[in-house]
Amino acid sequence: MDQVNVRWYVEDVAAHSSPIVIAGLPGVGHVGKLVVDHLVHVLSAVKVAEITSTLFPPQMYLSEDAVLRMPRNEVFFAPGSENSPAVLLLAGDCQSTTPEGHYILGNAYIRIFELLGVKRIYTLGGYGVGRMVETPRILAALSSSSLKEEVLFAGAVLNKDEPVGGIIGAAGLLITLGRLVGMEGIALLGETSGYLVDPVSSTAVLDVLEKLTGIKADRTELAELASQMMTEVSAIASTMQKNNADDLRYIG
Amino acid sequence: MDQVNVRWYVEDVAAHSSPIVIAGLPGVGHVGKLVVDHLVHVLSAVKVAEITSTLFPPQMYLSEDAVLRMPRNEVFFAPGSENSPAVLLLAGDCQSTTPEGHYILGNAYIRIFELLGVKRIYTLGGYGVGRMVETPRILAALSSSSLKEEVLFAGAVLNKDEPVGGIIGAAGLLITLGRLVGMEGIALLGETSGYLVDPVSSTAVLDVLEKLTGIKADRTELAELASQMMTEVSAIASTMQKNNADDLRYIG
Amino acid sequence: MDQVNVRWYVEDVAAHSSPIVIAGLPGVGHVGKLVVDHLVHVLSAVKVAEITSTLFPPQMYLSEDAVLRMPRNEVFFAPGSENSPAVLLLAGDCQSTTPEGHYILGNAYIRIFELLGVKRIYTLGGYGVGRMVETPRILAALSSSSLKEEVLFAGAVLNKDEPVGGIIGAAGLLITLGRLVGMEGIALLGETSGYLVDPVSSTAVLDVLEKLTGIKADRTELAELASQMMTEVSAIASTMQKNNADDLRYIG
Amino acid sequence: MDQVNVRWYVEDVAAHSSPIVIAGLPGVGHVGKLVVDHLVHVLSAVKVAEITSTLFPPQMYLSEDAVLRMPRNEVFFAPGSENSPAVLLLAGDCQSTTPEGHYILGNAYIRIFELLGVKRIYTLGGYGVGRMVETPRILAALSSSSLKEEVLFAGAVLNKDEPVGGIIGAAGLLITLGRLVGMEGIALLGETSGYLVDPVSSTAVLDVLEKLTGIKADRTELAELASQMMTEVSAIASTMQKNNADDLRYIG
């Protein structure tokens, strides 16, 4: 097993003209991962490549019948239609265990995308703000200011001071590493508390992504997840208020 | 000294037909280590190979007469009999000091097993549940769902949601890395508190292992260890109750 | 992308005779960084080379229009005049994420300086003393005791017991690595609290640097920053006094 | 600069017949370092080789006139006399910043010793016991049980259960790595609190070392250091008792 291993599942993807990439790896609130996992499902995308790496955690996952598998990231392909582009989806379990590994893995993903004729990358993620957000803004970051107009038109916010401290991990690196080989890139980060998996923020990211790409994805399941989460959060919030009230009685 | 060093002690093991591997390295509750160290002893297994590594901790061990030795893992061989299979036992002091090292060392073990004609690997370990467990369940994880029937028949539990978060370290990696070269693999994890070395859990793991492999190992010593531990745990528990009572008196 | 990547922006710098280096990377109080960033600006220095590295944090920065860029360090050149030397300025975002990386990156910077004919290096930084400092001393450290006279004459302090524990990171390493290839080196460290970005300390470092090098840099902006900071610190201090008074009332 | 760099200062040491090595790098209580630094001084040993490494901390030291130098370990040579053996002393600033680095550096030291014809290594260190020790025992650990008699005769203790957990770092590794190339090795560890630099423990280690090697080293300075430390510890202890008394008055 090498430091980065790519196993190819399909031979002829390169024949398709310039698929876009949508990448959503685990991160803050799993905002990007939720969207991309959802797209793999609703677009019935097929697996093109699987990446395993000694830079991933040495933590084996259980699947059906408790069959073990390595941590892996996967590239899926959906061919697109008249109004919707061909899409490569980068989804998976994990990011690197070391700072240097982020660069090494980022380069590996970009090399795969190059082979598949990619010209544009969207990366999706969350931006933790430390408080509950009802109507999350979508912050964008770009490979070039020439992308400014379309991103603003799609409803995202451009602000060089947010996220404070920039973007850590694959969502940022894929944009800068892609630019080195001539790819356009747009990172979309949904505001989220940072404490919980956040389908509400994911839905808001998907809204912007659809406007940008023309993809139309049934979102029933994501909406259900989001509504379920809002109910849970309300329940938590009311419990907390009650507890605070109790606390006051106790102190009083 | 290279990153991984293998020193061979025996030349002719490869002549034996397809020994199974039973691996038990240090980990949660030392559940797997206790079983494998016990098997090395009761099966009078002979040392086949010794692995030292710059990926092991730089911590030298003292043996008889305070003679120093490097941390090492060892492969032992027991030839088996009519009803009992030939066995390679992977035992030793330690696992890797880094995440990436787990993969590198795992590959090294698998290469040794390949040379020795291995077709099936059992890895043993513990599953920390954070509370005392009187009758530990044995969770299994598999290289393939084709192993499901025999594992359930031997009394193990298959549940894709346990251990939560999967299996970290050699117990999981040897199964997935072995599969890459065509080996079957079964991980057996005994429930354990996670706070103490746990021969009770080890005995329960050995029960399942014996049903799966046909090995019959005298278990007097392991049973003594287990009974001794149960006495100690009871003593601790009653001391803790007494202390709690004292605490209450003090507060009162 | 290699471990260290150098992108050259200008071809003919080597033609200039022996520019001095002034290096100010992020560190305690950003004392060195403030000075060098200021010099890049007021000397209208042009970019000569850009260093990116897998040893830098995997954290992408946002610039105007939220365009993403990699963390990078940069070498700028200002040609100097009759009374002022030609200068290379090493400025940038970060230092290494690992101890070993400091040596690897340090070597890379020195190789760039060698190519550009450098004979002398000044490194600037802060020395955290854990309390507010109104009139910061400038501690110097040298590549050779032959530099002692000029450094003392310029107003710096030489004391083998300060900074306690020596100098960590690029400010120290560039001096010792440079000496290996025959470069003279002087590190100038401004006393600073260690809690805040400190333009007051930076101004004091610049005073000594100017005496040593003959550079004359307009310092309006740095002075404004410093005066603004003193006001803020006074405000913080008076708030803290008030709070302490409040605390006393509360306790009383 | 390579990962490990050896700079030779003397060409003809190999001509001497089989010098012994005495190694004392920084560690618990600096017990070993104090002895070896003392021996370098009193034996007027000359520098043979200097080791610098990217595996050492990126922390530059200040010497006279605030001249900077890299962290380094050094090998010194004292030719010995009729009753006293030729000695190589391994002294210096630091050990590795990573677990793997301990092995890499240990190998580098052993390679130097091989070139210089070494047949026996003594490593000196401390064993932290978490309480003040008035009459420290000297624990020994060996490359072979054949060394048992002479070590016991010299007054050291051999106990496979102490130090608990074995020996971490160069003091242990040099013994096991040296054995791989046929060198005998004896580690001598002085009991010490673990909280303070401990010349009392160092003096006790030197006692045993002298009996083992026949070296006679004037120990005035070490004795002065030790006596000074005993005075300081007494002062600390009496202050602590006084403070405890004050505390009681305060609470009362």
Side-chain angles (χ1 to χ4, degrees), chain B residues 8-22 36-37 39-50 73-81 84-91 112-113 115-120 215:
Chain B
W8 293 93
Y9 282 74
V10 172
E11 296 296 317
D12 63 344
V13 174
H16 295 280
S17 60
S18 301
I20 61 170
V21 163
I22 303 173
V36 171
D37 287 358
L39 288 176
V40 168
H41 181 62
V42 298
L43 298 179
S44 304
V46 296
K47 186 150 149 183
V48 172
E50 179 177 291
N73 289 337
E74 298 169 288
V75 179
F76 295 91
F77 178 73
S81 64
S84 173
V87 182
L88 290 166
L89 297 154
L90 175 63
I112 292 172
F113 300 157
L115 287 172
L116 300 177
V118 169
K119 300 254 163 50
R120 180 177 283 206
I215 289 174

Side-chain angles (χ1 to χ4, degrees), chain C:
Chain C
M1 194 178 167
D2 296 321
Q3 203 171 35
V4 182
N5 311 271
V6 181
R7 182 172 166 191
W8 292 93
Y9 282 74
V10 171
E11 296 296 315
D12 63 344
V13 174
H16 296 279
S17 60
S18 301
I20 61 169
V21 163
I22 304 173
L25 295 178
V28 184
H30 278 353
V31 171
K33 181 173 169 51
L34 276 181
V35 175
V36 171
D37 288 358
H38 177 71
L39 288 176
V40 168
H41 180 62
V42 298
L43 300 178
S44 303
V46 295
K47 184 150 148 182
V48 172
E50 179 177 291
I51 298 97
T52 53
S53 173
T54 63
L55 300 165
F56 290 158
Q59 177 181 9
M60 304 302 111
Y61 290 76
L62 294 162
S63 47
E64 220 48 59
D65 289 337
V67 171
L68 282 169
R69 65 172 184 80
M70 275 194 204
R72 68 180 175 213
N73 289 338
E74 298 169 288
V75 179
F76 295 90
F77 178 73
S81 63
E82 213 172 323
N83 305 306
S84 173
V87 181
L88 290 167
L89 297 154
L90 175 63
D93 297 321
C94 49
Q95 300 209 22
S96 170
T97 57
T98 67
E100 185 161 23
H102 275 98
Y103 285 91
I104 296 169
L105 286 162
N107 275 323
Y109 303 137
I110 292 294
R111 232 170 301 134
I112 292 172
F113 300 156
E114 271 193 292
L115 288 171
L116 300 175
V118 169
K119 300 256 165 46
R120 181 178 282 208
I121 298 173
Y122 295 90
T123 64
L124 313 182
Y127 169 39
V129 293
R131 54 184 165 71
M132 289 298 162
V133 181
E134 278 192 36
T135 315
R137 294 180 305 152
I138 305 306
L139 297 171
L142 311 173
S143 65
S144 157
S145 55
S146 64
L147 301 164
K148 189 176 168 180
E149 298 307 318
E150 60 179 302
V151 166
L152 292 174
F153 187 77
V157 173
L158 288 173
N159 182 347
K160 80 178 175 60
D161 298 323
E162 288 182 304
V164 175
I167 304 178
I168 296 171
L173 257 171
L174 289 175
I175 306 298
T176 55
L177 289 170
R179 183 175 49 209
L180 291 180
V181 293
M183 296 175 191
E184 290 180 327
I186 296 170
L188 299 173
L189 306 177
E191 280 186 318
T192 183
S193 69
Y195 308 136
L196 297 164
V197 172
D198 187 351
V200 175
S201 184
S202 295
T203 305
V205 166
L206 184 53
D207 288 342
V208 173
L209 181 70
E210 286 192 353
K211 279 182 206 130
L212 278 164
T213 60
I215 290 174
K216 289 281 165 245
D218 179 280
R219 56 177 66 195
T220 323
E221 286 170 52
L222 200 57
E224 271 166 21
L225 256 180
S227 124
Q228 183 184 326
M229 188 193 151
M230 289 310 282
T231 316
E232 278 167 16
V233 167
S234 302
I236 291 168
S238 75
T239 310
M240 281 170 72
Q241 282 183 321
K242 194 167 159 301
N243 285 349
N244 284 339
D246 287 352
D247 286 347
L248 287 171
R249 276 199 295 277
Y250 181 75
I251 290 170

Side-chain angles (χ1 to χ4, degrees), chain B:
Chain B
M1 195 178 164
D2 295 321
Q3 202 171 35
V4 182
N5 312 273
V6 181
R7 181 171 167 192
W8 293 93
Y9 282 74
V10 172
E11 296 296 317
D12 63 344
V13 174
H16 295 280
S17 60
S18 301
I20 61 170
V21 163
I22 303 173
L25 295 177
V28 183
H30 279 351
V31 171
K33 181 174 168 51
L34 276 182
V35 175
V36 171
D37 287 358
H38 178 71
L39 288 176
V40 168
H41 181 62
V42 298
L43 298 179
S44 304
V46 296
K47 186 150 149 183
V48 172
E50 179 177 291
I51 299 97
T52 52
S53 173
T54 62
L55 300 164
F56 289 158
Q59 177 181 7
M60 303 301 113
Y61 290 76
L62 295 162
S63 48
E64 220 48 58
D65 288 337
V67 171
L68 282 169
R69 65 173 184 78
M70 278 197 200
R72 68 180 175 212
N73 289 337
E74 298 169 288
V75 179
F76 295 91
F77 178 73
S81 64
E82 213 172 323
N83 304 307
S84 173
V87 182
L88 290 166
L89 297 154
L90 175 63
D93 296 321
C94 50
Q95 300 210 22
S96 170
T97 57
T98 67
E100 186 162 23
H102 274 98
Y103 284 92
I104 295 169
L105 286 163
N107 275 323
Y109 302 137
I110 292 293
R111 234 172 299 133
I112 292 172
F113 300 157
E114 272 191 292
L115 287 172
L116 300 177
V118 169
K119 300 254 163 50
R120 180 177 283 206
I121 297 173
Y122 294 91
T123 65
L124 313 183
Y127 169 38
V129 293
R131 54 180 166 73
M132 289 299 163
V133 181
E134 279 192 34
T135 315
R137 293 180 306 152
I138 305 305
L139 298 170
L142 311 173
S143 65
S144 157
S145 56
S146 64
L147 301 164
K148 188 178 168 180
E149 297 307 319
E150 61 178 302
V151 166
L152 292 174
F153 188 76
V157 173
L158 288 173
N159 182 348
K160 81 178 174 61
D161 298 323
E162 288 182 302
V164 175
I167 304 178
I168 296 171
L173 257 171
L174 288 175
I175 306 297
T176 56
L177 289 170
R179 182 174 52 209
L180 291 179
V181 294
M183 296 174 192
E184 290 179 326
I186 296 170
L188 299 175
L189 305 176
E191 280 186 318
T192 183
S193 69
Y195 308 136
L196 297 164
V197 172
D198 187 351
V200 176
S201 186
S202 294
T203 305
V205 167
L206 183 55
D207 288 342
V208 173
L209 181 71
E210 286 192 352
K211 280 183 205 131
L212 279 164
T213 60
I215 289 174
K216 289 281 165 245
D218 179 280
R219 56 177 67 194
T220 322
E221 287 171 52
L222 200 56
E224 271 166 21
L225 256 180
S227 124
Q228 182 184 327
M229 188 194 153
M230 289 310 282
T231 316
E232 280 167 15
V233 167
S234 303
I236 293 169
S238 75
T239 308
M240 282 169 72
Q241 281 183 321
K242 193 165 160 302
N243 286 350
N244 284 341
D246 288 352
D247 286 347
L248 288 170
R249 273 200 296 276
Y250 181 74
I251 290 170

Side-chain angles (χ1 to χ4, degrees), chain A residues 119-202:
Chain A
K119 300 255 162 50
R120 181 177 283 207
I121 298 174
Y122 295 91
T123 64
L124 313 182
Y127 168 39
V129 293
R131 54 181 166 71
M132 289 298 163
V133 182
E134 278 191 36
T135 316
R137 294 179 306 153
I138 306 304
L139 298 170
L142 311 173
S143 65
S144 158
S145 56
S146 65
L147 300 164
K148 187 178 170 180
E149 298 306 318
E150 59 178 302
V151 165
L152 292 174
F153 188 77
V157 174
L158 288 173
N159 182 347
K160 79 177 175 63
D161 297 323
E162 289 181 304
V164 175
I167 304 178
I168 295 171
L173 257 171
L174 289 175
I175 305 298
T176 56
L177 289 170
R179 183 174 51 209
L180 291 180
V181 293
M183 296 175 192
E184 291 180 327
I186 296 170
L188 299 174
L189 306 176
E191 280 185 318
T192 184
S193 69
Y195 309 136
L196 297 164
V197 172
D198 187 350
V200 177
S201 185
S202 295

